[in-house]
Amino acid sequence: MATTDPTTGAAGPVSDARAEAGPAGGHPARWAILAVVCLAELVVVLDNTVLNVAIPSLTSELGASTADVQWMINAYALVQAGLLLSAGSAADRYGRKRMLLAGLALFGAGSLAAGLAGSSAGLIAARAGMGVGAALLLTTTLAVVMQVFEADERPKAIGIWGAVNALGFAAGPVVGGLVLDHYWWGAVFLINIPVVLVGLVAVAALVPETRDPRGGRPDLPGVALSVVGMTSVVYAVITGPEHGWTSAGVLVPALFGTAVLAAFVGWERRAEHPMLDMGLFRERRFTGAVTGVVLITFGSGGALYLLTQQLQFVRGDSALQAGVNIAPFALTVVLVNFTGLSARLIARLGLPAAIASGMALMAAGFAVVALVGGGGYGGMLCGLVLMGAGCGFANPAIAEAIMGAIPKERAGAGAGVNGTLSEMGTGLGVAVLGAVFVSRFGALLPDSVDTAESLPAALAQVSGAAERASVTEAFAAGLQAGQLAGAAAVLLGGCVAGVLLGRAVRPARDAATGPTPPPREE
């Protein structure tokens, strides 16, 4: 049967990248390709957090208002999240190498425009353009990894890809702070340009072109529905903490986006060439992995959001100090994946047990940070290392479970699902765990305080050391409640994902081995 030639993307006798690689399997330049795609991924993830430390400079030099600053940060995340599904589908249909190059070019052009922007509106528009490139890069990088690595090396490769993601998240504030110590705010974007140029040359030289030979016609209605629905829902999640979850400005886009996504599901079930095969959600392996993604990002995204507040408001760290203090989490993720420890554990335990044990370890880390993180840094460090180890084990196993449940030729769509659910889980985690925190904080405040919006706002309404201490203790108790709720969500996700995946793996193993032969009669 004719399949896709990994060099040309055309139908031909080459089965896949293993034909070029010989006995070792996979593409002969697969580790160099992994380095290239991880470099592209790193700049994308860095830009999720690098701007946070530049807020004072943006406010003074561009005259940016609070709303302007929020949109400088949120425009990138909003566009990126809204386009992930469509970007993955486009990579499958039109070629993963082509979309990877397009993503690098768009991201580089957006970075140049952002670095040279002379107004708040110009910077917001440039950040939105960077979000388009980021959506293409996040989906195509993982899809390329799936194409050039065979099953035996894929967990290690995906683990390294995930570790770079964690490293970029943690390094953003540190890199931003170091750059701003020596240059003006625009330099945090211009440092992307040389990385993009190197990436364009390396991708053109090394990455093979692959695409789905049965892509069919573009699913334009599906693209429109997914973009509108995802953008509306993500907008509601992003603006909820600012405007209030019951305000019309949040409820209307949330309900509208949910209705549009329901229409998207209905359309995809009837479409001749769907952007996303809804039949995947009937498979236990895929459903279990999806559950794991949502709950692990729900718990970890929300708990890490609360952790930054704990470091800055309770411990008194600056934004840069907070980034440095969180760094052991990301460094542990990097360590367990770059040493191959995660891949070996996944191979020994299997996906269900690796996901369940990794998420249980992560939940334990959240609980440690919640219960002892308010004291010396030693207790928090212990919790961060546990969190990093659990994330380093669970995340690659979850990504492998999702991508392994999807046909290899639809790897872009699988990466889009993985990225979209991660974004949604993180946003919902920040929203829900933030609400738990605010509720607990408000319940413990003295009667003289009538707001629980923030610690500074509450402290401004009290006088005297005793009342100030009471407000601070209420804030810390609220953070603890939110972090423990996040730990419970991650633990629940590990149990559910492990059970669903275990049920899916057993029938597949039984089918592979066949029925047990009856005992031979003597």
Side-chain angles (χ1 to χ4, degrees):
M1 182 175 65
T3 52
T4 306
D5 185 329
T7 303
T8 66
V14 181
S15 61
D16 52 30
R18 94 169 55 89
E20 297 182 34
H27 193 280
R30 58 194 178 277
W31 294 107
I33 292 170
L34 178 64
V36 171
V37 299
C38 283
L39 184 66
E41 178 200 13
L42 181 62
V43 292
V44 170
V45 181
L46 276 173
D47 269 87
N48 278 313
T49 55
V50 73
L51 198 60
N52 292 340
V53 295
I55 289 174
S57 300
L58 294 171
T59 302
S60 60
E61 296 182 32
L62 289 181
S65 65
T66 301
D68 289 337
V69 171
Q70 287 173 337
W71 277 111
M72 290 171 190
I73 295 171
N74 293 337
Y76 181 74
L78 182 64
V79 173
Q80 176 184 313
L83 290 177
L84 282 169
L85 279 177
S86 301
S89 177
D92 289 334
R93 291 178 186 275
Y94 302 115
R96 299 169 187 109
K97 177 177 181 177
R98 182 178 298 173
M99 291 297 103
L100 184 54
L101 290 168
L104 282 167
L106 287 170
F107 191 82
S111 297
L112 180 62
L116 301 178
S119 66
S120 297
L123 181 53
I124 292 169
R127 290 279 288 170
M130 292 172 67
V132 178
L136 285 168
L137 291 176
L138 283 179
T139 52
T140 52
T141 51
L142 182 54
V144 166
V145 170
M146 293 298 297
Q147 300 301 314
V148 300
F149 284 91
E150 292 303 315
D152 57 335
E153 292 181 325
R154 200 173 292 147
K156 183 177 182 180
I158 292 177
I160 292 173
W161 182 89
V164 170
N165 194 299
L167 180 63
F169 171 82
V174 179
V175 171
L178 292 174
V179 171
L180 288 172
D181 279 347
H182 299 89
Y183 305 101
W184 92 111
W185 64 264
V188 299
F189 299 110
L190 296 183
I191 59 175
N192 294 333
I193 305 299
V195 177
V196 166
L197 293 176
V198 170
L200 285 169
V201 173
V203 169
L206 292 174
V207 177
E209 181 62 284
T210 58
R211 63 172 61 89
D212 181 4
R214 299 179 298 278
R217 295 189 304 275
D219 180 17
L220 297 180
V223 169
L225 290 170
S226 71
V227 171
V228 172
M230 284 298 305
T231 302
S232 299
V233 171
V234 173
Y235 172 82
V237 170
I238 287 175
T239 58
E242 176 190 359
H243 299 301
W245 295 104
T246 58
S247 67
V250 173
L251 283 178
V252 170
L255 294 174
F256 174 72
T258 302
V260 173
L261 288 178
F264 167 73
V265 172
W267 169 260
E268 294 299 288
R269 294 177 67 179
R270 299 191 309 270
E272 184 179 356
H273 301 286
M275 190 176 79
L276 179 63
D277 181 7
M278 291 295 149
L280 290 169
F281 291 91
R282 293 194 294 268
E283 296 185 12
R284 284 177 176 171
R285 180 177 181 179
F286 186 77
T287 304
V290 161
T291 302
V293 167
V294 172
L295 287 175
I296 194 173
T297 54
F298 175 93
S300 59
L304 287 171
Y305 162 73
L306 296 176
L307 177 59
T308 59
Q309 296 199 51
Q310 182 179 14
L311 289 167
Q312 291 179 274
F313 289 117
V314 177
R315 298 177 63 89
D317 292 350
S318 66
L320 180 57
Q321 288 173 324
V324 171
N325 283 335
I326 293 176
F329 164 73
L331 294 176
T332 305
V333 177
V334 171
L335 182 65
V336 299
N337 282 289
F338 273 76
T339 60
L341 181 60
S342 176
R344 290 194 295 272
L345 182 74
I346 292 170
R348 178 172 298 181
L349 297 180
L351 290 177
I355 291 174
S357 58
M359 292 177 75
L361 198 60
M362 199 171 180
F366 287 137
V368 169
V369 168
L371 296 174
V372 303
Y377 183 68
M380 180 173 287
L381 177 62
C382 178
L384 289 169
V385 170
L386 286 173
M387 288 161 53
C391 183
F393 293 137
N395 265 353
I398 289 173
E400 170 69 15
I402 287 182
M403 302 303 288
I406 292 179
K408 195 173 179 180
E409 62 270 16
R410 303 301 305 274
V417 170
N418 184 63
T420 299
L421 293 174
S422 296
E423 290 287 338
M424 290 298 297
T426 300
L428 289 172
V430 171
V432 175
L433 298 189
V436 172
F437 150 66
V438 170
S439 176
R440 182 64 174 162
F441 179 34
L444 296 176
L445 282 173
D447 294 336
S448 58
V449 179
D450 60 6
T451 180
E453 291 181 359
S454 67
L455 179 61
L459 288 174
Q461 301 177 56
V462 298
S463 59
E467 281 194 319
R468 292 180 67 85
S470 177
V471 169
T472 303
E473 289 172 5
F475 187 83
L479 289 174
Q480 184 181 83
Q483 289 168 332
L484 289 175
V490 172
L491 183 60
L492 175 64
C495 295
V496 173
V499 169
L500 290 175
L501 282 167
R503 290 178 178 175
V505 168
R506 280 193 296 273
R509 186 187 303 120
D510 294 342
T513 58
T516 302
R520 187 174 59 180
E521 295 184 3
E522 297 295 337

